[in-house]
Amino acid sequence: MNISYKWLKKLVPDLTARAEDLEEKMSTTGIEVEGVTTPAFGLSKLVVGEIVSFEDISETHLHVCKVNVGEVEPLQIVCGAGNIRVGMKTITALVGARIAENTKIKKGKMRGYESFGMLCALDELGVSDRINPMKHEEGIYEMPIDAIVGDSIFPYLDMDDEIIELSITPNRADALSMLGVAHEVAAIYGLEVKKEIYNLVESDQATVDQISIKVETDNVPTYKIRIIKDVKIAKSPVWLQNRLMNAGIKPINNVVDVTNYVLMYYGQPLHSFDFGKFGSDEILVRQAKNGEKLTTLDHIDRELTSEDIVITSAGLPVGLAGVMGGENTEITDKTVTVALEAALFDPISIRKTSQKYNLRSEASSRFERGINQATVREALDFAAAMITKLAGGEVLKGVVESNNFQPELVKVSISLGRINASLGTELSQGQVKTIFEALGFSLAIEGDKFVCEIPSRRWDIHIEADLIEEVARMYGYDKLPATLPSTQNAGERTPMQKLRLKLRKQLEAAGLNEVIGYSLTTPEKSFEFSGDVDTTYLMMPMSEERQVLRTSMIPGLLDIINYNQNRKNEDVSIYEIGNVFLPSDAEDGRPAEVPDLAIAISGNITEKSWNEKTTPIDFFYAKGIVENILAGYDRVEFEPYSENKGMHPGRTARIKLNDRVLGFVGQVHPALVKKYDIAETYVAVLDVNILIEEVPHQTVFEEIPKVQAVTRDIALIVKEEISHAEIFSAIKSRNVKNLKKIELFDVFSGGKLGAGLKSMAYTLTFQNLDDTMTDEQINNAMNKIMKSLSEKVQAEIR
């Protein structure tokens, strides 16, 4: 929202603060100011010049002009514009002037004629085509007839104005109007707002005799029409064009410009129709029919749906309500009778329509945030009176409307104690009363309680907290006391926070980097690692790529690996700790948010160098990272797992912790790797809730052994299908007291062993805390272990 400081000064006449002061003050009271600019910045030596005479240069489009710029003799300037005429006043850049893009005007010669300046169009001063009322080929800009020759052009074009750019948050949509900003500034400085006045004069002919209205949708609380006859379409006066351009709006003609002016002034979108093109004396406001078509003012054909609200006449749409009018009723130079519309439309409906057609207009941006519902009729009457002043004609008597809608004013009560307790202040009743009165709230004081009737222009205020915020920002956030909490109990991290911190340290020590992926994904990706679980779809997704809540973090990590490897970062080791969204039995249908840890590794462990080969990442490297995380837990098991369609069926293990399924670790299925266009990748997923629930309650300290450990090797022949986990379990099942470590050091198959067999060799480490173990103790332990292996896995001891 661009605010003209000149316009603001007219609305708040006693304002003495400079634009720079407003920039700081408004930013600290809740409306952020992006910056202050001046249209004339960088321009210089531009004056009003009057063309005294001109001669054509033969065989060219050029003219040799004599231009009066207030000096003793007229300047000779060569110009190629086609709209030059004697007596015309225009923008004249003198020698040494600066125009757009820091271009400096110099004395020159064209076709043998000397030129001592330049006659300019607005685009040559840097005015954007988006707001420029003239095309370059139409010629130079014509200044007002009353402009004084030799004066600077800046005051005439309001280029000496200061434009305050506001960044409006959704809760302060009242500041999307000059009146809203004027009331805000007046409240800050304790001043009064002086509204503009245009007196409405109506003819004897009644509007109701010319047109009727019918509304067939609940999305239009009120709809109003005025008729203005015998208007003359022309350019708007320069002052109006200047104000619109400084607000970022392109001037069109006197009628359309008035509707845009009222839009900026009241924040009330209006629309002007050419009444003669209606083809009917009835307006019907309804939901569009599926497949119905309308060509909007931007000359684009649009196919409508039943979600859209349309203004229709003679059975055909003439406007997309709250967004843009139709080309078939556009105001043109031939328009004689204007139908002027003012209405309220449902914000959600307007936002959906605007997004669907990628058609965001000044009107839709206001309707979707809300407007002042009490000034709809006032804005309509103001615009009608202004049109008759600028375009002539007469306003027919009365307004035709769907209903006499009047919003109920909100009343909010709050006590002085509640305000002070919330802000930590000691404000008096008088101080708070002054703040509420400056904001324009109607006030009644009942003991310690303020009863505030909120003006309709502040539709963002409904509850106590809103009043507290108003007091805080007007009193000054910088004045609020800053104190430390008075409690004696220092806060500490929750178990979840402690575990997450520990996991981060472990994973980053292992060389992994933390990432934060999207919580939204595609329906296809949501099933890749989670199976056919129910997913949660968004009603209004941002894009097709972000339709559902994720049920696994792995697809997001694979996307990140793809992004990196496409940019030649081949070795990627990443992790994420976040929530996945799984089906639940909640009555409101919300999914359960389950905290998970996900790991993804791709590429090499070590890079190739002159004395070392590359070491690619494999299953055991990924498994080792998981084992390090679970080192302090009891009864951790890894078992073959082939049910996850996203994982390699022969290189994936399910992880169990105390007989509870904790997650899985393994290689991503080659088909998925190809789909994601990444190198061979290993992933792991752990349920963080289970990690917290299964944390050992007590850590028992063990002294460092005083005696040396003893090792024994054992080799056994087993069937090919027997896994290391089964052998490990068989050894552990004997509960040998002093057995401290089991380590596989050799696997061999084929050759003399025969088909279907393999040899596995282990090193067993024994250690007693106090005494050196005897041969007899070690032999007894080995016998127990060998017996268990023979019974449980049918092992043959070699």
Side-chain angles (χ1 to χ4, degrees):
M1 175 75 180
N2 290 340
I3 299 298
S4 161
Y5 181 71
K6 280 188 175 182
W7 193 359
L8 184 62
K9 280 276 292 179
K10 288 184 179 295
L11 296 176
V12 190
D14 297 328
L15 180 65
T16 58
R18 301 173 304 167
E20 291 81 2
D21 300 329
L22 288 176
E23 179 179 9
E24 179 180 355
K25 194 68 175 176
M26 292 182 72
S27 293
T28 57
T29 56
I31 297 180
E32 183 180 354
V33 177
E34 295 283 353
V36 178
T37 58
T38 302
F41 180 77
L43 307 177
S44 65
K45 300 186 74 172
L46 297 168
V47 301
V48 179
E50 182 179 7
I51 299 174
V52 177
S53 64
F54 70 92
E55 296 179 3
D56 297 336
I57 299 177
S58 60
E59 299 182 358
T60 73
H61 69 289
L62 300 175
H63 317 283
V64 180
C65 306
K66 296 293 184 179
V67 183
N68 178 14
V69 293
E71 298 179 358
V72 177
E73 296 290 335
L75 296 180
Q76 177 172 295
I77 298 176
V78 178
C79 179
N83 64 334
I84 286 177
R85 70 175 191 277
V86 173
M88 179 182 184
K89 293 181 179 179
T90 187
I91 301 169
T92 306
L94 305 177
V95 173
R98 295 279 182 182
I99 59 174
E101 299 179 356
N102 202 29
T103 301
K104 187 175 182 179
I105 301 301
K106 300 178 180 179
K107 174 184 173 182
K109 181 177 279 191
M110 301 177 68
R111 298 285 180 151
Y113 293 90
E114 288 186 316
S115 182
F116 297 91
M118 177 179 177
L119 305 183
C120 300
L122 288 179
D123 60 332
E124 291 164 328
L125 271 58
V127 177
S128 167
D129 290 341
R130 183 177 58 85
I131 60 173
N132 192 343
M134 289 186 66
K135 296 179 180 178
H136 183 78
E137 56 269 23
E138 292 177 352
I140 57 178
Y141 184 78
E142 184 168 0
M143 295 291 291
I145 193 65
D146 60 349
I148 299 174
V149 171
D151 279 2
S152 169
I153 66 161
F154 299 142
Y156 292 103
L157 301 182
D158 279 343
M159 296 186 76
D160 59 345
D161 196 359
E162 292 172 290
I163 308 303
I164 305 169
E165 184 181 355
L166 303 182
S167 178
I168 307 298
T169 53
N171 66 310
R172 289 306 306 273
D174 61 292
L176 285 172
S177 68
M178 285 300 303
L179 271 178
V181 175
H183 279 290
E184 177 73 10
V185 171
I188 292 172
Y189 291 100
L191 305 175
E192 296 292 329
V193 174
K194 182 181 179 182
K195 297 180 70 172
E196 297 179 19
I197 297 175
Y198 281 88
N199 294 318
L200 177 65
V201 178
E202 298 178 319
S203 71
D204 294 333
Q205 187 177 2
T207 309
V208 72
D209 295 335
Q210 299 292 312
I211 196 167
S212 63
I213 291 174
K214 187 176 182 181
V215 175
E216 291 184 346
T217 172
D218 294 334
N219 289 326
V220 184
T222 189
Y223 189 88
K224 306 175 189 294
I225 281 283
R226 273 196 177 276
I227 300 295
I228 309 169
K229 301 184 69 174
D230 300 327
V231 299
K232 295 181 180 179
I233 306 301
K235 288 183 178 181
S236 296
V238 172
W239 71 265
L240 178 53
Q241 293 189 41
N242 293 343
R243 284 195 180 174
L244 292 179
M245 286 192 289
N246 282 347
I249 297 176
K250 183 175 184 175
I252 306 295
N253 57 53
N254 47 10
V255 171
V256 175
D257 291 352
V258 166
T259 62
N260 285 329
Y261 183 83
V262 173
L263 170 76
M264 300 305 299
Y265 180 56
Y266 279 98
Q268 168 68 53
L270 304 176
H271 187 68
S272 52
F273 300 97
D274 187 331
F275 183 63
K277 298 178 181 178
F278 270 2
S280 170
D281 59 1
E282 180 184 73
I283 288 180
L284 174 61
V285 185
R286 58 171 170 81
Q287 299 297 135
K289 300 173 184 177
N290 288 323
E292 206 165 17
K293 297 185 184 302
L294 171 67
T295 303
T296 45
L297 288 172
D298 55 2
H299 312 299
I300 296 177
D301 296 330
R302 304 187 187 277
E303 186 171 319
L304 310 179
T305 70
S306 59
E307 293 180 338
D308 307 319
I309 309 170
V310 288
I311 316 301
T312 67
S313 181
L316 297 175
V318 295
L320 193 55
V323 181
M324 188 173 284
E327 187 181 58
N328 52 356
T329 54
E330 181 180 8
I331 300 293
T332 66
D333 293 343
K334 297 180 180 179
T335 298
V336 176
T337 304
V338 173
L340 191 61
E341 164 200 282
L344 291 175
F345 298 113
D346 177 64
I348 296 176
S349 176
I350 299 303
R351 181 167 179 79
K352 286 182 178 179
T353 296
S354 176
Q355 284 187 327
K356 179 170 55 180
Y357 299 114
N358 192 24
L359 185 58
R360 187 168 179 83
S361 63
E362 292 285 351
S364 68
S365 67
R366 285 163 175 80
F367 274 127
E368 66 189 31
R369 296 188 186 197
I371 62 174
N372 187 348
Q373 298 182 351
T375 57
V376 178
R377 171 66 181 269
E378 182 182 328
L380 178 63
D381 292 347
F382 182 97
M386 192 173 177
I387 286 175
T388 58
K389 184 174 179 64
L390 301 182
E394 58 181 14
V395 180
L396 301 195
K397 185 177 182 179
V399 175
V400 176
E401 54 191 354
S402 60
N403 55 47
N404 185 23
F405 176 85
Q406 291 296 328
E408 293 185 8
L409 296 182
V410 174
K411 287 188 176 182
V412 185
S413 300
I414 192 169
S415 67
L416 178 61
R418 175 85 169 100
I419 293 172
N420 282 326
S422 299
L423 301 180
T425 53
E426 296 180 359
L427 298 175
S428 67
Q429 190 178 76
Q431 287 176 294
V432 176
K433 179 175 179 289
T434 300
I435 289 173
F436 285 151
E437 288 176 343
L439 290 166
F441 298 172
S442 297
L443 192 63
I445 299 177
E446 300 173 359
D448 185 44
K449 183 178 290 186
F450 299 95
V451 181
C452 300
E453 187 176 67
I454 311 302
S456 60
R457 59 181 172 79
R458 289 301 306 274
W459 60 90
D460 58 307
I461 298 177
H462 297 280
I463 58 177
E464 274 191 353
D466 296 329
L467 292 182
I468 294 170
E469 181 183 6
E470 293 300 298
V471 173
R473 70 185 190 85
M474 299 306 295
Y475 176 67
Y477 291 119
D478 56 328
K479 297 179 183 178
L480 297 180
T483 58
L484 292 172
S486 59
T487 179
Q488 299 298 315
N489 300 322
E492 65 173 334
R493 293 187 178 94
T494 64
M496 177 64 77
Q497 290 171 329
K498 290 178 182 177
L499 178 60
R500 289 189 175 207
L501 182 60
K502 179 183 177 183
L503 291 174
R504 287 189 177 97
K505 288 180 178 179
Q506 289 176 317
L507 291 165
E508 286 164 16
L512 279 73
N513 296 302
E514 184 175 16
V515 297
I516 300 176
Y518 283 104
S519 294
L520 298 169
T521 185
T522 64
E524 295 78 13
K525 289 182 179 179
S526 68
F527 300 128
E528 287 173 347
F529 293 90
S530 304
D532 297 328
V533 299
D534 291 334
T535 54
T536 304
Y537 284 76
L538 298 189
M539 294 180 65
M540 295 180 64
M542 296 181 292
S543 67
E544 292 184 1
E545 300 297 317
R546 306 282 179 254
Q547 293 187 51
V548 300
L549 291 171
R550 66 185 180 187
T551 55
S552 171
M553 291 187 285
I554 297 299
L557 297 185
L558 299 186
D559 283 333
I560 293 172
I561 290 176
N562 167 268
Y563 183 89
N564 278 270
Q565 292 185 344
N566 282 344
R567 287 156 180 78
K568 305 303 180 183
N569 183 18
E570 305 293 343
D571 303 333
V572 185
S573 300
I574 55 178
Y575 75 93
E576 181 177 2
I577 304 173
N579 290 346
V580 295
F581 303 85
L582 303 179
S584 73
D585 298 327
E587 293 182 2
D588 59 4
R590 293 186 181 184
E593 296 189 39
V594 179
D596 268 5
L597 163 64
I599 298 168
I601 313 169
S602 184
N604 298 309
I605 302 170
T606 58
E607 296 182 359
K608 184 178 180 181
S609 65
W610 68 273
N611 65 342
E612 188 175 3
K613 295 181 179 179
T614 57
T615 305
I617 288 167
D618 57 14
F619 171 83
F620 298 103
Y621 183 79
K623 179 173 176 279
I625 293 174
V626 175
E627 287 177 329
N628 184 53
I629 293 172
L630 302 177
Y633 289 87
D634 300 325
R635 295 182 57 202
V636 177
E637 300 175 71
F638 294 84
E639 60 182 32
Y641 179 49
S642 59
E643 298 170 14
N644 193 320
K645 296 180 180 179
M647 302 298 293
H648 192 302
R651 297 180 184 177
T652 303
R654 177 189 281 125
I655 308 167
K656 285 188 174 181
L657 179 57
N658 294 330
D659 294 327
R660 298 177 67 182
V661 176
L662 177 64
F664 63 86
V665 59
Q667 181 183 341
V668 177
H669 198 288
L672 267 185
V673 165
K674 184 177 181 180
K675 174 183 173 181
Y676 280 89
D677 189 24
I678 56 178
E680 184 175 300
T681 300
Y682 293 84
V683 299
V685 173
L686 302 179
D687 188 321
V688 177
N689 276 339
I690 295 178
L691 287 176
I692 289 180
E693 293 165 5
E694 296 296 334
V695 169
H697 296 296
Q698 185 176 11
T699 301
V700 179
F701 172 73
E702 291 185 359
E703 293 184 7
I704 298 174
K706 298 176 181 179
V707 295
Q708 189 172 352
V710 179
T711 61
R712 291 287 188 271
D713 292 344
I714 182 173
L716 47 145
I717 298 174
V718 294
K719 294 180 180 178
E720 188 72 39
E721 61 269 18
I722 299 297
S723 68
H724 164 71
E726 291 174 296
I727 296 173
F728 189 91
S729 178
I731 296 173
K732 292 286 288 184
S733 66
R734 298 303 296 186
N735 295 321
V736 175
K737 181 179 179 182
N738 296 316
L739 179 60
K740 300 299 180 183
K741 186 177 180 182
I742 306 168
E743 185 176 8
L744 175 67
F745 70 86
D746 184 58
V747 179
F748 174 76
S749 61
K752 297 180 179 180
L753 292 178
L757 297 176
K758 63 181 177 181
S759 171
M760 302 182 72
Y762 290 84
T763 295
L764 308 179
T765 303
F766 301 91
Q767 190 170 34
N768 193 325
L769 292 177
D770 300 315
D771 299 320
T772 302
M773 293 182 67
T774 64
D775 287 342
E776 184 179 358
Q777 289 173 323
I778 296 172
N779 290 336
N780 287 337
M782 290 296 294
N783 290 333
K784 289 180 181 180
I785 291 170
M786 288 187 288
K787 184 177 181 181
S788 177
L789 289 169
S790 179
E791 292 174 352
K792 294 185 179 295
V793 296
Q794 291 76 49
E796 177 185 341
I797 309 302
R798 297 180 65 186

